Amino acid sequence: MRTRNLFLTVLAFILTISAGEAQTKRPSVTLQHGAHRIGKRMDADMQRWREYGLGQFLHWGVYAVAGGHWNGKYYAGAAEWIRSWNEMPHEDYDNLYRQFNPTGFNAAQWAKQAAEMGAKYMIITTKHHDGFCLWHSKYTNYTVARTPFKRDIVKELVDAYTKEGIDVYLYFSVIDWNHPGYRAILREEDREVYETFKQFTRNQLIELLTAFPKVKGLWFDGTWDKAWVEQAAFADALESELRALHPGLIIGSRFRADEYGKRHYDSNGDLMGDYEQGWERNLPESFDEVRHNDWDCVMTVPENQWGYHSDWRGYVKTSHDLINMLVKCVSMNGNFVLNFGPDGKGNIRQEETKLAKEIGEWMKINGEAIYGCSHVDLKKQDWGYFTRKQDKIYMTVFHLPVNGLLTLETPKDGNIPSKAWLLSDKRTLEIISAGRNKNNHRLYHIALPEGFSPGAPFVVVLETDKDGQNDGNAYQPAKI
Ligand code: JFZ
């Protein structure tokens, strides 16, 4: 009895405190289907996600057969959207699966290439908006099982990537142009048939997690339709069900809306899901924009092509462009996910293979400044980005100053950097004290070797004082 009373007293105390906190910190709307957690997830699975740095996205489906062309005409949109183009009759698109026979597909080879690029996780389109399933779903006939190829592609990829030590995430589009019950907007008379679509969606998600227990998470897309946004209660319950089915499951902010139709961030401004999933071909400019959340950025190589388009037009990013984005993401606590769109024969195109190789070569030397690294509270400098891991600070340089000096500004009471060297060959660099600026912050110049011109981004490592003791000659990292 006594223990019970004590328990109740403690419980009441905790409830009072947390209620008080909720009131003072967040004057809020009461939400049933908003965020269910405030702040970052701190478990081991999420910590692993946070340390990836670099990921690979794969967009693959029957759109790869068309490759951005139909009847000899060039489609200017994103190749995976070709079904929505007036020039391509739906009937033609919906029969493409009969030609889907990617005899060049080799999951082990793709996984090896991704590993050599340095990717720590991969996201595969199990089903894009067209509804075509790359796995053997029993809930529709529109799957790879009915193509001449037959093989379960998701299964082969999950196995091959997992074997390479790369974590797998499943992209899933809620929009499904193939399902008879799918609607973008619900009229009264659609409500009944839409229920069949909701059950179908639930069935497929449960099917995926059951068939592929090794996957780490789900990457949702096609959740912006009004019809889906209105399903806050259903989607919330489904999310709980999926999490219960697959402990540790990671889901981004693009799955469900709250009961007021707010997406990503709920009506109280709190992030829904485990990380922000809104950085699409777009990066935050400053750390303030990410609001202390985890996030990923998904990026295409050309301007806007996810699925295979045989004719890339416009600017195509170089490996230096992509490495710049990668480091920028990590410097603001994000992961960078680079997209690949294999062709209809199951081959990864030359341009992508070349980029993967170049990025991989860079990562082999400089990956230490990426993996497991996070934001540093130091003023951004024009030469590039700071990242940090434990007591080391990394300066990844993209713009080499003509005077060969890299500026570093430390907060007023910060200690000085004790040692600097080039990550590539361990050459020690001189640290020159350059006085204080008008904010009374100390300035330093890290001097690069005479004539240093690597022609590629490079990393300078700064050693910092491990135990934070001020010996007058050690830089104390700022608290994050
Ligand atoms: C979606 C898809 O339509 C596209 O085909 C691709 O799969 C991509 C990864 O996701 O496109 C989007 C989704 C969201 C935004 C932009 C494009 N957005 O939030 O800005």
Side-chain angles (χ1 to χ4, degrees):
M1 238 353 191
R2 243 210 236 143
T3 8
R4 191 161 172 267
N5 279 342
L6 178 66
F7 172 72
L8 288 178
T9 316
V10 171
L11 184 70
F13 179 68
I14 292 171
L15 287 178
T16 321
I17 299 237
S18 46
E21 226 176 43
Q23 269 166 20
T24 48
K25 275 202 191 143
R26 322 188 301 126
S28 59
V29 188
T30 306
L31 291 174
Q32 268 189 304
H33 306 299
H36 296 311
R37 185 198 60 252
I38 308 298
K40 292 185 181 188
R41 231 177 91 172
M42 295 311 291
D43 56 285
D45 293 292
M46 200 61 204
Q47 187 54 30
R48 186 176 165 97
W49 185 95
R50 205 168 277 136
E51 292 181 6
Y52 292 144
L54 177 62
Q56 179 190 41
F57 211 152
L58 283 171
H59 271 73
W60 206 32
V62 293
Y63 40 79
V65 174
H69 293 266
W70 200 244
N71 280 337
K73 290 199 183 106
Y74 164 87
Y75 174 52
E80 72 283 1
W81 275 81
I82 196 167
R83 188 183 185 276
S84 64
W85 185 31
N86 291 337
E87 299 285 337
M88 182 157 194
H90 283 177
E91 207 195 313
D92 288 1
Y93 188 92
D94 296 341
N95 279 301
L96 278 181
Y97 76 92
R98 296 175 193 276
Q99 297 172 51
F100 188 73
N101 193 18
T103 48
F105 172 61
N106 182 336
Q109 211 175 5
W110 290 11
K112 186 162 179 276
Q113 186 186 87
E116 281 171 4
M117 177 173 83
K120 298 292 182 196
Y121 70 124
M122 184 277 270
I123 309 167
I124 173 68
T125 50
T126 60
K127 177 178 92 169
H128 206 263
H129 309 334
D130 60 5
F132 178 75
C133 301
L134 282 184
W135 83 102
H136 290 175
S137 178
K138 67 175 181 203
Y139 298 104
T140 170
N141 281 328
Y142 196 40
T143 81
V144 67
R146 291 226 307 166
T147 68
F149 195 60
K150 294 195 180 71
R151 283 152 54 186
D152 189 319
I153 288 169
V154 176
K155 181 179 186 325
E156 291 187 24
L157 288 173
V158 171
D159 290 345
Y161 276 73
T162 305
K163 213 168 147 193
E164 279 289 351
I166 298 175
D167 287 349
V168 180
Y169 290 72
L170 304 180
Y171 166 109
F172 184 92
S173 166
V174 170
I175 288 179
D176 186 323
W177 296 327
N178 188 259
H179 192 274
Y182 164 73
R183 297 288 184 279
I185 295 171
L186 290 182
R187 295 167 304 174
E188 224 22 69
E189 60 267 36
D190 294 327
R191 291 195 184 270
E192 206 177 306
V193 72
Y194 194 71
E195 289 304 311
T196 66
F197 170 70
K198 283 159 65 178
Q199 285 315 317
F200 167 73
T201 302
R202 172 175 173 271
N203 286 338
Q204 282 205 321
L205 288 168
I206 291 171
E207 181 182 47
L208 281 169
L209 291 183
T210 309
F212 309 113
K214 284 183 267 190
V215 304
K216 304 291 182 190
L218 298 167
W219 202 97
F220 284 102
D221 195 17
T223 53
W224 49 77
D225 286 334
K226 194 157 175 287
W228 179 254
V229 169
E230 287 167 10
Q231 311 305 320
F234 173 81
D236 192 7
L238 178 53
E239 184 180 317
S240 303
E241 197 179 354
L242 298 173
R243 289 188 189 279
L245 179 66
H246 197 98
L249 187 72
I250 293 174
I251 299 180
S253 62
R254 204 193 279 178
F255 179 51
R256 60 184 178 89
D258 75 5
E259 54 263 55
Y260 294 95
K262 288 278 281 175
R263 302 175 61 236
H264 295 280
Y265 287 92
D266 70 14
S267 300
N268 292 319
D270 295 317
L271 184 73
M272 289 184 286
D274 301 321
Y275 64 94
E276 191 189 348
Q277 211 189 337
W279 298 100
E280 174 110 18
R281 293 185 294 120
N282 187 16
L283 274 77
E285 270 314 310
S286 74
F287 189 57
D288 292 342
E289 288 176 63
V290 302
R291 311 195 222 175
H292 296 279
N293 288 313
D294 287 308
W295 57 281
D296 73 355
C297 164
V298 291
M299 187 55 66
T300 50
V301 174
E303 200 179 313
N304 183 25
Q305 294 294 343
W306 299 91
Y308 176 73
H309 199 306
S310 63
D311 186 2
W312 276 354
R313 296 189 185 172
Y315 185 69
V316 175
K317 294 171 194 74
T318 66
S319 52
H320 289 173
D321 293 338
L322 297 167
I323 292 165
N324 191 319
M325 291 173 177
L326 162 68
V327 185
K328 187 170 178 178
C329 283
V330 174
S331 79
M332 293 188 277
N333 289 345
N335 284 330
F336 182 70
V337 186
L338 182 61
N339 183 70
F340 288 66
D343 70 17
K345 285 283 149 218
N347 298 312
I348 291 181
R349 67 199 301 152
Q350 296 283 303
E351 299 96 317
E352 289 173 350
T353 296
K354 183 167 176 278
L355 289 170
K357 222 170 151 260
E358 290 170 1
I359 294 171
E361 278 159 13
W362 191 86
M363 288 295 274
K364 242 168 247 137
I365 298 166
N366 304 292
E368 193 185 321
I370 302 294
Y371 302 126
C373 288
S374 53
H375 176 72
V376 194
D377 192 13
L378 282 176
K379 186 166 178 259
K380 167 94 179 69
Q381 301 292 336
D382 290 339
W383 44 255
Y385 311 101
F386 291 107
T387 53
R388 108 177 234 201
K389 187 160 41 197
Q390 284 140 21
D391 59 344
K392 287 204 181 70
I393 288 181
Y394 301 95
M395 302 163 58
T396 307
V397 181
F398 290 88
H399 308 285
L400 188 62
V402 286
N403 61 5
L405 301 175
L406 304 172
T407 301
L408 168 70
E409 178 180 330
T410 74
K412 200 164 134 206
D413 303 318
N415 295 337
I416 64 168
S418 55
K419 219 178 144 202
W421 68 93
L422 285 170
L423 180 60
S424 58
D425 61 12
K426 310 272 177 287
R427 255 185 293 177
T428 302
L429 303 176
E430 192 190 349
I431 302 170
I432 304 163
S433 179
R436 290 177 186 260
N437 67 9
K438 66 173 193 301
N439 300 323
N440 209 19
H441 293 188
R442 292 177 204 242
L443 296 176
Y444 296 94
H445 289 151
I446 314 290
L448 293 163
E450 192 99 8
F452 186 71
S453 176
F458 62 94
V459 174
V460 170
V461 190
L462 284 183
E463 190 145 278
T464 63
D465 184 10
K466 253 200 193 81
D467 53 15
Q469 288 302 303
N470 183 356
D471 63 3
N473 195 31
Y475 174 67
Q476 188 171 2
K479 287 249 160 23
I480 297 171

